[in-house]
Amino acid sequence: MAGAPLLLLLAAVCLACFAPGANAAGRKMVGVYELSKGDFSAKVTNWGATVTSVVFPDSKGNLGDVVLGYDTIGEYVNGSSYFGALVGRVANRVAKARFVLDGKVYHLYANDGKNALHGGHRGFSKVIWTVKEYVSGGDSPHITLYYHSFDGEQGFPGALDVYVTYELSSPYVLSVRMNATALDKATPVNLAQHTYWNLGGEGSGDVLGNTFYTGNFLQDVKGKGGSVYGQYGALCLETQGFPDAVNHPEFPSQIVRPGQAAYKHDMVFKFSF
Ligand SMILES: *[C@@H]1O[C@H](CO)[C@@H](O)[C@H](O)[C@H]1NC(C)=O
Ligand SMILES: *[C@@H]1O[C@H](CO)[C@@H](O)[C@H](O)[C@H]1NC(C)=O
């Protein structure tokens, strides 16, 4: 049967895709990278530049994970909740999946009825990022992930280089630094870190800086360790620009142009009990 070996081959390829660790022969591999600083730790996967866990102690010293997510990378690949992911090229909605920039009409991939949502069908949360730098421990454990978005990806104009760095520092601070550089054409850029913070425990988190607060729209999503996440079980604190800004000249511009200042967006999460 010709079918059997093919099936085996596909299974082997998929296992390789999700195997943690090394980059064989320059291929992009999906792995899970731990950052740890004493009793404070986080896990990040280069699938969607996603934060899969953030663990720190409660007042009794018990460690707890405050991030909603899944047990396996496969579920992140399948999932539609954007758990922990880096969302782009344009987070949120672009109405009618179209916009006009410098007199030219661009049509995006419509994945939310007639609109484009969170970068389209295969936005930055659904691609493999390259690990540029990884320091797992020490004073400031951090990981820098890079993604090259090509001209026309999901309908967006121009190539774009995107970086995100996740870094732990004391006391229980997670910082997220994002930047994006337009290489050849002007393009809208609006990146968002889409972590849902679990409200179930005793913990609390503060986001320092320019904060934009959104409720969440989870509907009984199956997550880590068999838990089911219902509506209002978590909080997603996204700092980002206005929805559909590219079609609203009165909103602050999200246009990034080649040869001009890069897009920059920093967030700082401070955890405490
Ligand atoms: C992904 O979705 C497919 C189709 O619904 C399902 O068969 C598969 O088990 C899912 N994989 C994971 C890892 O959840
Ligand atoms: C973007 O971040 C990367 C990684 O930290 C850095 O090397 C690069 O210089 C930054 N680019 C800009 C334009 O700030």
Side-chain angles (χ1 to χ4, degrees):
M1 296 281 290
L6 180 63
L7 203 64
L8 282 174
L9 178 66
L10 286 176
V13 168
C14 283
L15 282 176
C17 291
F18 302 134
N23 193 339
R27 266 188 49 211
K28 283 191 170 184
M29 305 283 280
V30 171
V32 176
Y33 299 82
E34 181 158 18
L35 306 174
S36 101
K37 190 174 169 61
D39 54 8
F40 182 35
S41 65
K43 283 184 186 155
V44 171
T45 171
N46 57 324
W47 174 263
T50 302
V51 175
T52 63
S53 83
V54 172
V55 171
F56 64 102
D58 67 13
S59 52
K60 300 183 190 92
N62 300 318
L63 297 180
D65 181 358
V66 289
V67 162
L68 264 54
Y70 303 109
D71 287 322
T72 63
I73 301 297
E75 291 165 285
Y76 282 95
V77 174
N78 261 12
S80 55
S81 299
Y82 302 93
F83 282 143
L86 205 285
V87 177
R89 185 178 298 203
V90 173
N92 222 304
R93 192 182 67 252
V94 176
K96 298 193 177 115
R98 82 181 275 287
F99 62 91
V100 180
L101 180 55
D102 297 341
K104 194 172 179 324
V105 181
Y106 292 96
H107 293 277
L108 303 178
Y109 189 103
N111 60 327
D112 175 44
K114 290 189 173 123
N115 307 318
L117 182 70
H118 284 348
H121 172 64
R122 197 170 176 275
F124 295 174
S125 52
K126 294 284 183 195
V127 296
I128 300 175
W129 293 58
T130 302
V131 178
K132 277 284 180 187
E133 200 176 306
Y134 173 46
V135 177
S136 62
D139 228 27
S140 39
H142 63 276
I143 185 166
T144 297
L145 300 163
Y146 163 75
Y147 182 65
H148 175 81
S149 176
F150 57 87
D151 182 8
E153 186 168 7
Q154 300 294 305
F156 287 103
L160 188 76
D161 275 343
V162 191
Y163 289 86
V164 57
T165 299
Y166 296 107
E167 182 172 301
L168 304 187
S169 54
S170 31
Y172 307 118
V173 169
L174 165 69
S175 50
V176 184
R177 295 191 296 273
M178 306 165 241
N179 74 48
T181 305
L183 300 182
D184 46 19
K185 288 179 190 163
T187 178
V189 178
N190 181 28
L191 306 179
Q193 215 300 322
H194 209 281
T195 293
Y196 289 93
W197 304 98
N198 199 345
L199 297 180
E202 290 175 64
S204 74
D206 294 325
V207 185
L208 308 178
N210 161 34
T211 301
F212 195 91
Y213 177 108
T214 26
N216 75 89
F217 305 94
L218 297 176
Q219 291 256 328
D220 296 342
V221 179
K222 274 191 196 145
K224 291 177 186 174
S227 48
V228 175
Y229 304 136
Q231 250 175 323
Y232 314 118
L235 176 66
C236 183
L237 302 156
E238 299 172 42
T239 62
Q240 57 176 254
F242 290 103
D244 201 27
V246 70
N247 288 313
H248 290 268
E250 71 277 19
F251 292 168
S253 169
Q254 292 169 358
I255 306 303
V256 179
R257 293 178 184 278
Q260 295 187 12
Y263 168 97
K264 289 197 181 169
H265 181 173
D266 294 348
M267 298 174 81
V268 178
F269 297 93
K270 187 173 178 354
F271 303 97
S272 57
F273 279 99

